[in-house]
């Protein structure tokens, strides 16, 4: 989940105004753990599923040795070709495992992030907001998020590939576990973490820069938050595409690609993946699918921000109304 912090907003009806150290993009301090987790889970599921067909195209366009029938020039052309040749529902194959993973992964992410951010902020900058605390909290939350999502990513990407032998999620899980062992589901875990750390840093810097340009007074302005987040997500996505390509190779274990560079067995390790990508595609190989990744990330980030903010507002307001005396 790629989200960063913003600025204070007006208080919700019936609530005291937030303290200067509380961020707008953070849930109010009165929000319960269940509110954090519910809002995060809903935002995560919608973020990953609404743009899922584009994610399927991204996975295929990152293939280093694609089948001649699975070579695409653009996202639109790819979707049109996939639907025409493989069926209307083919771009959605694997979406169910993504939904199952995204819910608990993002629930844990936001719960951990909010808790650790407040705890560390009190230690580092008592009574205020600390960017260092935010960074540490986000890194720790990412460990939990990726631990849940990585197996789902492995299954999802194998089902997204052209001519995938797997018809169902359970079939894919059983086959991978039987033939490659449990470690196959975490083969790209270190790469995923390595990708998310710079992603978060680039996203945060770009977001803050955009806010300075279009919302210099840092007022509550949903449009500016969504626009800034979308642009920041796109920039971060483009910059971290090489790591995403390596992750895809580790997840899919493309037989044609590995055999062409005389790799027998299974490829493991980020360094080996980087070397293999360069052998197969040179420098341009690291940016395969960058267009699809950016097109996927921009609306996904905007959706995540708007949905997360709506549900935290709705859930907190609902709880306050229930507590209010009649």
């Amino acid at each position: 989940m790629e989200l960063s912090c913003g600025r204070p907003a007006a208080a919700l009806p019936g609530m005291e105004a937030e303290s200067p150290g509380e961020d707008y993009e953070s849930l109010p301090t009165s929000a319960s753990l269940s509110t954090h987790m519910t809002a995060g889970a809903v935002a995560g599921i919608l973020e990953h599923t609404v743009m899922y067909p584009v994610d399927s195209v991204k996975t295929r366009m990152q293939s280093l040795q694609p089948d001649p029938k699975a070579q695409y020039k653009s996202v639109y052309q790819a979707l049109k070709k996939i639907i025409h040749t493989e069926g209307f529902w083919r771009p959605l194959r694997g979406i169910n495992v993504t939904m199952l993973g995204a819910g608990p992964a993002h629930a844990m992410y936001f719960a951990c992030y909010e808790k650790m951010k407040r705890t560390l902020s009190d230690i580092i900058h008592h009574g205020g907001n600390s960017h260092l605390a935010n960074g540490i909290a986000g890194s720790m939350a990412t460990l939990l998020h990726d631990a849940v999502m990585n197996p789902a990513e492995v299954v999802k990407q194998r089902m997204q590939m052209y001519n995938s032998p797997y018809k169902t999620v359970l079939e894919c899980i059983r086959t991978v576990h039987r033939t490659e062992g449990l470690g196959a589901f975490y083969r790209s875990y270190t790469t995923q973490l390595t990708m998310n750390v710079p992603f978060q840093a680039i996203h945060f810097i770009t977001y803050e820069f955009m806010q300075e340009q279009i919302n210099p007074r840092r007022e509550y302005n949903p449009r500016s938050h969504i626009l800034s987040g979308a642009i920041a997500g796109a920039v971060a996505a483009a910059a971290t595409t090489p790591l995403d390509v390596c992750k895809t190779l580790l997840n899919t274990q493309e037989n044609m690609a590995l055999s062409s560079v005389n790799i027998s067995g299974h490829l493991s390790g980020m360094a080996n993946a980087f070397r293999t990508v360069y052998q197969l595609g040179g420098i341009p190989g690291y940016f395969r699918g960058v267009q699809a990744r950016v097109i996927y990330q921009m609306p996904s980030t905007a959706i995540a921000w708007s949905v997360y903010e709506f549900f935290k507002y709705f859930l907190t307001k609902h709880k306050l109304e229930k507590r209010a005396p009649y």
Side-chain angles (χ1 to χ4, degrees), residues 49-279:
T49 56
V50 172
M51 295 297 295
Y52 188 85
V54 179
D55 185 58
S56 294
V57 170
K58 174 191 73 75
T59 296
R60 291 196 180 193
M61 293 181 78
Q62 287 179 336
S63 174
L64 297 168
Q65 292 286 337
D67 187 284
K69 297 180 181 179
Q71 296 182 358
Y72 316 108
K73 296 180 180 179
S74 68
V75 175
Y76 174 75
Q77 187 257 350
L79 281 172
K80 184 177 178 180
K81 186 174 182 180
I82 292 171
I83 292 172
H84 178 71
T85 60
E86 301 175 54
F88 181 79
W89 299 108
R90 185 61 181 88
L92 295 177
R93 182 180 290 184
I95 193 173
N96 48 349
V97 73
T98 299
M99 294 176 66
L100 289 173
H106 284 76
M108 293 171 64
Y109 178 89
F110 280 104
C112 177
Y113 175 76
E114 296 290 350
K115 175 63 176 178
M116 293 304 303
K117 183 181 73 171
R118 299 191 191 287
T119 301
L120 292 173
S121 289
D122 285 340
I123 297 173
I124 299 172
H125 188 189
H126 184 69
N129 179 54
S130 167
H131 293 310
L132 176 60
N134 295 342
I136 296 174
S139 298
M140 296 181 70
T142 299
L143 292 174
L144 292 177
H145 172 272
D146 290 357
V148 176
M149 278 301 293
N150 208 88
E153 282 282 316
V154 172
V155 176
K156 177 202 74 173
Q157 291 196 303
R158 295 202 181 203
M159 297 190 73
Q160 287 174 332
M161 294 297 287
Y162 176 76
N163 239 0
S164 172
Y166 312 109
K167 302 300 180 184
T168 67
V169 168
L170 285 178
E171 178 190 351
C172 181
I173 294 173
R174 289 169 180 166
T175 302
V176 172
H177 182 265
R178 184 179 67 253
T179 59
E180 302 178 42
L182 187 63
F185 296 104
Y186 285 95
R187 195 174 281 132
S188 63
Y189 183 51
T190 54
T191 303
Q192 180 84 354
L193 291 175
T194 304
M195 178 176 65
N196 279 343
V197 170
F199 185 103
Q200 294 285 7
I202 296 170
H203 185 201
F204 182 81
I205 292 171
T206 307
Y207 175 81
E208 290 295 335
F209 172 78
M210 289 301 301
Q211 283 289 286
E212 290 175 358
Q213 304 305 309
I214 63 178
N215 187 19
R217 296 180 63 182
R218 301 303 180 97
E219 298 173 334
Y220 169 45
N221 188 331
R223 290 184 181 180
S224 77
H225 291 304
I226 292 173
L227 178 61
S228 298
I231 293 175
V235 173
T240 56
T241 294
L243 289 164
D244 196 46
V245 172
C246 293
K247 183 201 74 173
T248 297
L249 179 61
L250 290 170
N251 281 344
T252 59
Q253 297 289 310
E254 294 179 64
N255 291 328
M256 291 179 61
L258 298 183
S259 61
S260 66
V261 290
N262 299 318
I263 295 179
S264 58
H266 305 299
L267 181 68
S268 61
M270 185 175 62
N272 292 331
F274 258 98
R275 192 161 44 245
T276 302
V277 171
Y278 184 77
Q279 287 178 292

